Amino acid sequence: NRKVLSFDTGVEAWNYLQSGGEADLVISDVDMPGMDGFELLAKVKTKFPDKIFIITSGVREYEKRSRKEGADAFLAKPFEISDLFSLVQCFVVQ
C-alpha cells in the first residue's frame, strides 16, 4: 500500500522526513514559502542521498540547475497528471 502525503511548505516536508517519516520519493515545486525546492533538495540529498527527488517548476531554466544540484528528474509546469504518473513509474518499483 502506497500513500501520497502533501505538505504546504518545504519546512513541513523536511521536518517529516528528518523525524523518520517514510517516503519513496519527494516531489517538490521550486517556489515554496520558508524553504524553496532547491533548499529542500540539498537537505534531502545530503541526509538521504538515495531518496528519489523530482523538482517541478514553470521556470524551464531551472531544469539544468535542478539536475546539477542532484535532482533525479525535472517536470516542467504546466504538466498533465499522466506526465507525473509516467515519471513516477520510472522510479518506483511495482
Side-chain angles (χ1 to χ4, degrees):
N1 269 344
R2 299 192 192 275
K3 61 183 175 179
V4 175
L5 301 175
S6 175
F7 300 94
D8 292 327
T9 69
V11 172
E12 289 176 15
W14 174 242
N15 288 341
Y16 171 79
L17 291 170
Q18 74 169 350
S19 67
E22 293 186 27
D24 292 321
L25 60 90
V26 177
I27 302 169
S28 176
D29 195 338
V30 171
D31 298 315
M32 295 185 298
M35 177 189 303
D36 72 25
F38 288 119
E39 292 173 281
L40 181 59
L41 169 64
K43 288 180 175 291
V44 169
K45 286 298 187 174
T46 297
K47 188 163 184 180
F48 310 104
D50 295 331
K51 193 153 311 282
I52 302 301
F53 200 104
I54 299 169
I55 289 264
T56 69
S57 179
V59 180
R60 293 184 184 268
E61 292 77 25
Y62 284 158
E63 181 171 8
K64 187 175 183 179
R65 178 179 173 191
S66 69
R67 293 191 189 276
K68 182 179 177 185
E69 294 189 20
D72 296 284
F74 178 85
L75 189 57
K77 294 197 289 185
F79 56 83
E80 298 294 326
I81 196 71
S82 60
D83 297 329
L84 176 61
F85 288 152
S86 295
L87 184 57
V88 168
Q89 286 178 340
C90 292
F91 294 109
V92 179
V93 178
Q94 300 296 326

